[in-house]
Amino acid sequence: ARIMAIADIFEALTAADRPYKTPKKLSETVKIMGFMEKDAHIDGDLFKLFLGSGVYEEYGERFLKPEQLDEVDVSEYLG
């Protein structure tokens, strides 16, 4: 359930098919999720695994619009 929460939040923030919001860039999404981890809304260890594995980049390259793909400095979240 905790893994699915991270995946669901990431997908919701980056989704381009929501008529009520614009999709976030990768860096914005990770920053928002970083605040969520800091406030204990998502599992910190799983968030670090999500970032450290690079799965967010793989998902981005496969499913996001090119304008959503930007540089993400994950070092501040992994340290």
Side-chain angles (χ1 to χ4, degrees), residues 50-67:
F50 178 74
L51 296 177
S53 69
V55 71
Y56 73 96
E57 290 177 307
E58 291 177 35
Y59 180 91
E61 290 170 7
R62 188 164 178 198
F63 297 108
L64 301 184
K65 294 180 178 183
E67 58 267 20

